Amino acid sequence: MSHKRQIDRLPIPPADAKVQNVSCHNCIVGCGYKAYTWPRNKQGTLTDNAFGIDLSQQQNALGTWIAPSMYNMVKQNGKDVHLAVVPDKECVVNEGLTSIRGARMAENRPSKVTGTQQQRLTDPMVWRYGTLQPTSWDDALDLVAQVTARVVTEGSEDDLVVSMFDHGGSAGGYETTWGTGKLYFESMKVKNTRIHNRPAYNSEVHSTRDMGVDELHYQYADYEMTDTIMVVGANPLETQTNLFLNHMRTGMENGAKFIMIDPRRTVAVNAAEEIAGKENVLHLAIKPGADMAVMNAILTEIVDKGWTDDEFINASTFQGGVAVAEDAGQPAALGSLEFAMESARMSLADAAEICGVDAADIAKAAAWIAEPKADGARRKCVSAYEKGIIWGNDNYRTVGALVNIALATGNVGREGGGACRLGGHQEGYYRPSDAHVGRPATYIDRLLISGGGKIHHIWACDHYKTTLNAAKFKQAHKRRSDMVKTAMDNAAGGSREELIDAIVGAVNAGGLFVVDVDIIRSQIGENAHVVLAACESNEMNLTSMNGERRLRLSEKYMDPFGNSKPDCLIAAGIAQNMERALRELGEDAYADQFKGYDWETEEDAFMDGYASGNPDVTYDRLRAMGNNGVLEPVVGYENGKLIGTERLYTDGVFTRHGREDGKALFCAAGWRGWQAAGKEAEMAKFKFWVNNGRANIFWQSQFLDQDNDFIQDRFPFPFLEMNPADMDDIGAAPGDLVEMYNDNGATQAMVYPTDTARRGDTLMVFGSPSGSQGNIVNPGVNELMLPDYKHTWANIRKVADAPESAKRISFKSKEYTS
Amino acid sequence: MKCKKMVDVGRRQFLRGGALAAAGAAASTVTGGAAQATPANAQVDYPSDKLGNIGDLAINEPMDISYPDGDSPGVLIKLGEAVEGGVGPDGDIVAFSVLCPHLGFFMNYNAEDRTMNCPGHFSRFDVEAGGQQVWGHATSNLPQFTLRISDNGDIFAEGSSDLIFGRPSNVL
């Protein structure tokens, strides 16, 4: 029996309810919602209410409705208030559509009244007496600062390892990336740092930037005015839901064809067929890792057929052969189209062999992208890509191969064009220069596993669930942090100085002092010695931009839970304590570097960081721009409105690489088979490809969803999609728990029969709290430390019959049928 | 509703009319109570509406119904195999709202795999698993109507497990 809410009516917001802007903090699309709050003892009526409509009438499809998940009761200025977070029909991003993630924002708020999200942290905690004990901010921050100050002055800043998010949305935003950025890149020059989802501090898309093309240069409306949509290694119906439903769909309804390059048939392919008709959808179900080969063949076909946009190429791209040479830190040379074709040339026949698809279908894709129309007009094409190639084989050259097609066909900087990543989180990056980190950046996981680093500051990252080679990482991290726990236990009851001496002694002996900043107790946080309690968007004001650079202010409508704080103010607290601790150590000059954090609010941090570089932008102006915000970069303020930029590169001048000539470069994307170490041997040795992916129902690593009954009822365990015949081979029935194991480690999941999965191909949901796919991902990375999470092979065996919670759920096809 | 197997229209219209009358009676009771300043009950009072008789149902041939009023379309299905929440001698009779709890689109029944499918945004729900969303955008499972079978086999709806799309209260 499925989860029943047993709710048969909800409070109605009164006409005078407070209304605030909310950009959904979950995925990169950032749908607009309105937060209604009103006093506990007030309510509207069926005919007199905040929506101004007659609620005694059944609303039509797309009508205004508060689903139970959109309601909660939260604290606002210390008082309990009703909260309803409902989709904004006026927001151009979603026009009233919701997602299964965004429509649960209200119920995923912490509430002492309704009991939701009681896992949220209320106070800092410090390791004492064999467990994590709540404490004051002063106590926790002092310990962090004293230990950090001792270690970096006795050794160097290289002894401090920092894992920190770099994104917008819930735990990110311009406020918080600036707070951490100023602390670690300005007050300090920390180079041993990594980002939440990869083992180094680096771009996910170096090549497109090196080619001059920023990865987010279009606007979502471009999908509505294009002739062809090409998606590579992405599943936008699940992971950028309302981009697909409100923009790609409109494009297809306007006549656009849809190409999907992905080994797996997804619900996005099925939905595209429903919308556009099967005859207008081309799914190139390539072999794993062969994306570059198929895109090179498409480019070759376009070049050989003379379908290139020569006017654009001549005016806006580099003409002189090689511009950047390949070397150990440069995975491919860059230069003119002619030069790039010397290595990127791939015949249809060769690509068909490598990719396992028909040559005619590859030719059809090329024609759909670039064959001129009957009247001679050029076709427009938007290309979109995400983790299938970002976390795929040969990241640099593969992303480059995709951007090559867009540049060769003049589909950058023009209406109905673009070659953009689809993204995961919203963005919100504003930090001092990271040039000191270097390129290639340090492989941080390898550093930690091999005993490097003495202190680990972690900001809203849970590598237990979301890194590669995770089995080895967890063992090392736990062993090293346990050394410090033991030292702290032995120092219990002593003085502060004795405690700090004990910690410093332990880290000098190979231990790791761990500080975890998060909104919940995460899995890696169990290794922490200090936990700092953060809040997230709408418990604070927070600015981010979405996947079309749409900047909005998502407003604070409730209090932070307990004594939790915005990350930027936690960073400020660390800095202020560092300044004091360093002075006590006699390091006055160093201490002076930690001045400039006298922020009272997140707005102060925003003004100190983002607004210093974008002086037209203020909270008040953003608030007035509402849920439609402004497309970055902001270029002015006139007549009470911020002036933005509809799309980048409309002048045909490319700047992301910093070249003064403004010419875009092509990538010499020569196919070289499996790029990352160990992949080819692993494929040969193990029976099943264990791909990983996302599901629309979960946000990120389920950090809030793990405490959401509706979600956990549907998937009590991470699912593994598997062909039914493969299930027969291993003796597994739907819902049975199976173990995937290889030379890297092992993990487990609940098997989900999937007719559309090819024999030998499986897919496990990524980032689950009860089964980390990263355990079996090998440590292989590319030249710039980008991991290849997607290519993992393992053997699979049944370990248990379906547990009771798994017996009750549906194992039917996820594909809609008309 | 675009059911692949439809019951005859005459019976459906008859039943829908019956449901409307019952809902009207329930609504007037509530209004009367409010006018006299009587404290409202904590729980919504659901009408008891006759949807049909066991003898009217054939296995996997959905019958269109409305509940708890004529503006709330639903479906009554005899599945042929006992399911959790199923009623009747075989434990296999279930009833659900057919308005998608995502954004209220009218859904189709796929008799082959026994799912409700939303043409609006491609969500689907399993009528053999208590209306669980198999895949989709809704944040609750499909509202399932509470059924009672009388001695003569008449089937009555008397409640709903979840809030029906497009209304702040299941009984308006």
Side-chain angles (χ1 to χ4, degrees):
Chain A
M1 196 63 155
S2 65
H3 177 255
K4 308 291 191 191
R5 290 182 179 273
Q6 305 296 4
I7 288 174
D8 42 32
R9 67 181 165 199
L10 284 174
I12 295 172
D16 61 352
K18 186 174 178 182
V19 186
Q20 291 172 284
N21 299 317
V22 172
S23 302
C24 176
H25 60 255
N26 292 302
C27 89
I28 187 165
V29 178
C31 293
Y33 286 75
K34 291 285 188 184
Y36 295 81
T37 48
W38 66 100
R40 163 72 183 93
N41 59 345
K42 305 289 184 189
Q43 61 181 326
T45 69
L46 293 173
T47 52
D48 183 14
N49 54 68
F51 302 131
I53 59 175
D54 182 359
L55 293 172
S56 71
Q57 301 300 307
Q58 169 72 36
Q59 303 300 307
N60 291 326
L62 301 173
T64 297
W65 183 53
I66 303 177
S69 62
M70 299 178 194
Y71 172 81
N72 209 335
M73 189 172 289
V74 298
K75 279 267 193 291
Q76 185 184 74
N77 299 320
K79 293 179 179 169
D80 291 318
V81 295
H82 297 274
L83 166 71
V85 183
V86 300
D88 182 359
K89 294 184 195 311
E90 306 299 317
C91 177
V92 296
V93 174
N94 55 310
E95 296 182 286
L97 300 186
T98 61
S99 73
I100 192 171
R101 301 171 298 275
R104 291 185 293 112
M105 279 190 284
E107 75 170 7
N108 268 354
R109 289 299 175 198
S111 171
K112 292 284 189 191
V113 177
T114 61
T116 52
Q117 292 297 328
Q118 295 302 293
Q119 63 167 340
R120 288 287 304 274
L121 294 171
T122 57
D123 293 277
M125 293 188 291
V126 171
W127 182 265
R128 285 191 188 115
Y129 334 120
T131 184
L132 281 165
Q133 295 286 334
T135 191
S136 68
W137 278 104
D138 284 347
D139 178 49
L141 291 173
D142 174 74
L143 184 60
V144 171
Q146 286 216 49
V147 173
T148 304
R150 271 279 295 277
V151 170
V152 298
T153 51
E154 290 178 8
S156 78
E157 289 177 350
D158 292 350
D159 294 325
L160 171 59
V161 177
V162 179
S163 297
M164 54 180 173
F165 59 82
D166 69 337
H167 52 74
S170 60
Y174 287 111
E175 295 78 6
T176 54
T177 61
W178 174 249
T180 47
K182 184 171 182 174
L183 175 62
Y184 297 113
F185 290 170
E186 188 174 288
S187 298
M188 292 185 266
K189 293 288 182 200
V190 172
K191 76 173 178 62
N192 287 330
T193 178
R194 59 160 284 178
I195 296 175
H196 57 284
N197 62 357
R198 52 196 186 271
Y201 199 89
N202 50 6
S203 169
E204 291 174 302
V205 289
H206 286 100
S207 53
T208 190
R209 295 180 180 183
D210 291 351
M211 294 162 78
V213 182
D214 190 277
E215 63 268 27
L216 299 175
H217 52 261
Y218 62 11
Q219 57 172 295
Y220 287 166
D222 284 317
Y223 288 102
E224 301 173 13
M225 51 181 101
T226 193
D227 297 307
T228 297
I229 297 166
M230 178 169 78
V231 176
V232 185
N235 180 10
L237 178 56
E238 296 225 49
T239 53
Q240 295 85 14
T241 301
N242 290 324
L243 168 57
F244 184 94
L245 290 174
N246 201 38
H247 301 284
M248 292 186 182
R249 177 184 198 151
T250 305
M252 286 184 263
E253 288 170 348
N254 289 340
K257 295 181 182 296
F258 188 88
I259 301 168
M260 174 68 81
I261 299 177
D262 195 306
R264 183 169 68 117
R265 179 179 168 86
T266 58
V267 290
V269 176
N270 182 61
E273 290 176 350
E274 289 289 334
I275 296 164
K278 286 189 177 180
E279 68 279 12
N280 292 311
V281 175
L282 176 60
H283 177 204
L284 293 170
I286 57 172
K287 292 178 185 173
D291 309 73
M292 192 201 316
V294 74
M295 288 190 286
N296 280 349
I298 290 170
L299 176 66
T300 303
E301 175 79 353
I302 289 169
V303 168
D304 290 353
K305 285 280 172 66
W307 295 338
T308 49
D309 186 338
D310 295 338
E311 192 178 330
F312 174 86
I313 292 168
N314 290 332
S316 296
T317 70
F318 184 78
Q319 300 297 314
V322 61
V324 179
E326 181 181 339
D327 62 34
Q330 175 63 34
L334 307 172
S336 67
L337 174 60
E338 193 175 30
F339 166 74
M341 288 307 295
E342 291 172 14
S343 41
R345 175 165 287 281
M346 170 78 71
S347 72
L348 293 176
D350 286 349
E353 173 69 23
I354 293 167
C355 302
V357 297
D358 286 346
D361 280 342
I362 303 173
K364 185 197 266 188
W368 282 11
I369 292 167
E371 184 177 19
K373 297 176 184 176
D375 64 358
R378 294 203 59 81
R379 289 183 70 83
K380 300 172 185 170
C381 177
V382 188
S383 307
Y385 63 99
E386 194 42 45
K387 294 294 192 292
I389 60 173
I390 289 175
W391 294 157
N393 178 32
D394 213 348
N395 164 301
Y396 192 96
R397 294 186 182 189
T398 301
V399 173
L402 182 145
V403 179
N404 279 348
I405 296 172
L407 288 173
T409 55
N411 274 308
V412 183
R414 294 179 175 173
E415 281 190 5
C420 297
R421 66 174 296 185
L422 288 168
H425 300 266
Q426 287 185 68
E427 302 296 335
Y429 190 95
Y430 195 85
R431 278 178 176 153
S433 168
D434 60 3
H436 64 278
V437 172
R439 171 173 159 166
T442 307
Y443 191 158
I444 297 300
D445 289 21
R446 184 175 288 162
L447 177 82
L448 287 169
I449 290 170
S450 64
K454 296 180 178 178
I455 299 176
H456 192 191
H457 290 188
I458 305 167
W459 293 78
C461 304
D462 197 347
H463 306 327
Y464 264 48
K465 293 188 281 188
T466 58
T467 200
L468 72 169
N469 195 25
K472 304 283 191 304
F473 177 87
K474 285 184 256 199
Q475 288 171 17
H477 203 268
K478 182 169 193 311
R479 179 180 53 76
R480 297 185 62 196
S481 60
D482 278 349
M483 291 171 67
V484 177
K485 285 182 177 176
T486 301
M488 293 176 79
D489 289 343
N490 290 335
S495 68
R496 191 67 155 191
E497 292 71 25
E498 287 167 338
L499 175 66
I500 289 161
D501 285 344
I503 293 169
V504 172
V507 300
N508 286 337
L512 190 68
F513 179 71
V514 179
V515 179
D516 187 40
V517 188
D518 211 321
I519 63 171
I520 60 164
R521 282 181 76 158
S522 64
Q523 293 188 352
I524 197 171
E526 294 306 307
N527 292 343
H529 309 96
V530 180
V531 173
L532 302 176
C535 64
E536 61 170 348
S537 60
N538 307 129
E539 300 157 9
M540 59 179 286
N541 293 292
L542 191 140
T543 53
S544 303
M545 74 171 197
N546 77 351
E548 54 179 344
R549 308 174 321 285
R550 189 175 298 278
L551 170 67
R552 274 86 51 91
L553 172 66
S554 193
E555 294 186 84
K556 175 179 179 175
Y557 57 66
M558 63 180 283
D559 302 343
F561 199 47
N563 293 311
S564 62
K565 291 184 181 185
D567 294 77
C568 53
L569 299 185
I570 296 172
I574 293 175
Q576 288 159 347
N577 279 271
M578 284 290 289
E579 182 189 356
R580 180 180 47 77
L582 288 164
R583 283 199 204 289
E584 288 168 5
L585 292 171
E587 300 275 355
D588 278 337
Y590 195 7
D592 287 344
Q593 293 176 205
F594 293 83
K595 288 178 172 295
Y597 293 88
D598 51 346
W599 308 327
E600 296 290 326
T601 66
E602 59 271 25
E603 186 172 5
D604 294 338
F606 179 81
M607 297 308 291
D608 187 54
Y610 183 89
S612 70
N614 300 272
D616 289 316
V617 183
T618 66
Y619 269 20
D620 283 343
R621 290 176 179 182
L622 280 175
R623 195 176 290 115
M625 297 298 284
N627 279 331
N628 287 335
V630 58
L631 296 176
E632 294 193 66
V634 176
V635 294
Y637 180 73
E638 292 173 12
N639 303 320
K641 288 183 186 295
L642 291 165
I643 310 300
T645 306
E646 290 207 340
R647 52 180 73 73
L648 307 184
Y649 313 127
T650 52
D651 57 0
V653 176
F654 294 89
T655 51
R656 192 61 176 82
H657 44 23
R659 290 177 61 88
E660 286 186 4
D661 65 4
K663 304 292 188 189
L665 306 176
F666 286 89
C667 179
W671 169 252
R672 51 178 168 169
W674 290 111
Q675 178 273 323
K679 297 296 181 186
E680 191 165 7
E682 191 176 277
M683 181 171 72
K685 183 173 179 181
F686 295 97
K687 185 175 179 187
F688 292 99
W689 178 34
V690 187
N691 190 6
N692 68 76
R694 297 291 193 177
N696 68 331
I697 192 169
F698 302 123
W699 172 240
Q700 221 246 6
S701 61
Q702 304 184 36
F703 56 88
L704 294 180
D705 294 334
Q706 66 188 356
D707 190 26
N708 184 296
D709 292 336
F710 170 69
I711 301 304
Q712 294 303 314
D713 173 76
R714 174 69 187 103
F715 292 118
F717 307 99
F719 62 75
L720 179 84
E721 295 179 355
M722 191 177 214
N723 184 285
D726 286 336
M727 289 172 56
D728 289 344
D729 284 354
I730 63 166
D736 285 354
L737 300 181
V738 295
E739 181 178 67
M740 291 72 78
Y741 58 100
N742 62 15
D743 294 338
N744 309 303
T747 189
Q748 72 175 46
M750 171 185 78
V751 69
Y752 197 108
T754 305
D755 289 335
T756 53
R758 296 186 294 208
R759 293 295 304 269
D761 287 4
T762 67
L763 178 124
M764 181 174 173
V765 71
F766 185 75
S768 169
S770 52
S772 171
Q773 198 267 348
N775 286 0
I776 56 172
V777 178
N778 89 346
V781 292
N782 83 347
E783 296 89 339
L784 299 174
M785 304 305 156
L786 269 298
D788 182 354
Y789 289 104
K790 296 286 185 181
H791 297 108
T792 291
W793 289 265
N795 290 334
I796 303 180
R797 60 190 166 207
K798 177 178 168 179
V799 293
D801 289 338
E804 198 57 35
S805 56
K807 283 181 187 164
R808 301 178 291 114
I809 68 175
S810 180
F811 288 100
K812 292 179 180 173
S813 167
K814 298 171 184 173
E815 290 195 5
Y816 165 85
T817 57
S818 56
Chain B
M1 188 170 111
K2 293 196 290 178
C3 289
K4 290 184 176 171
K5 295 178 181 176
M6 301 284 254
V7 295
D8 74 277
V9 174
R11 175 172 298 278
R12 204 163 62 238
Q13 292 306 322
F14 169 77
L15 290 167
R16 184 164 287 162
L20 266 173
S28 64
T29 304
V30 170
T31 309
Q36 293 163 28
T38 307
N41 292 331
Q43 188 164 306
V44 164
D45 284 319
Y46 281 93
S48 176
D49 286 0
K50 180 182 167 185
L51 304 179
N53 187 281
I54 287 178
D56 301 332
L57 295 175
I59 290 172
N60 206 23
E61 290 189 10
M63 176 189 285
D64 281 4
I65 57 164
S66 298
Y67 185 80
D69 55 58
D71 291 332
S72 173
V75 66
L76 179 68
I77 313 174
K78 179 177 172 62
L79 293 166
E81 287 177 27
V83 293
E84 265 190 271
V87 300
D90 302 321
D92 65 342
I93 298 171
V94 291
F96 295 94
S97 168
V98 294
L99 296 182
C100 181
H102 174 221
L103 290 170
F105 281 73
F106 216 92
M107 294 196 285
N108 314 312
Y109 183 62
N110 178 341
E112 198 173 321
D113 79 349
R114 301 182 176 194
T115 55
M116 300 298 304
N117 288 264
C118 180
H121 307 96
F122 316 113
S123 301
R124 64 199 324 256
F125 302 84
D126 188 344
V127 300
E128 293 182 302
Q132 184 170 59
Q133 183 168 239
V134 182
W135 186 91
H137 317 287
T139 52
S140 59
N141 294 314
L142 198 54
Q144 182 166 9
F145 299 145
T146 307
L147 300 181
R148 176 177 63 83
I149 311 278
S150 69
D151 291 343
N152 68 355
D154 285 347
I155 305 167
F156 294 84
E158 300 185 331
S160 173
S161 68
D162 284 270
L163 193 64
I164 297 162
F165 176 85
R167 43 182 71 197
S169 170
N170 277 342
V171 177
L172 290 169

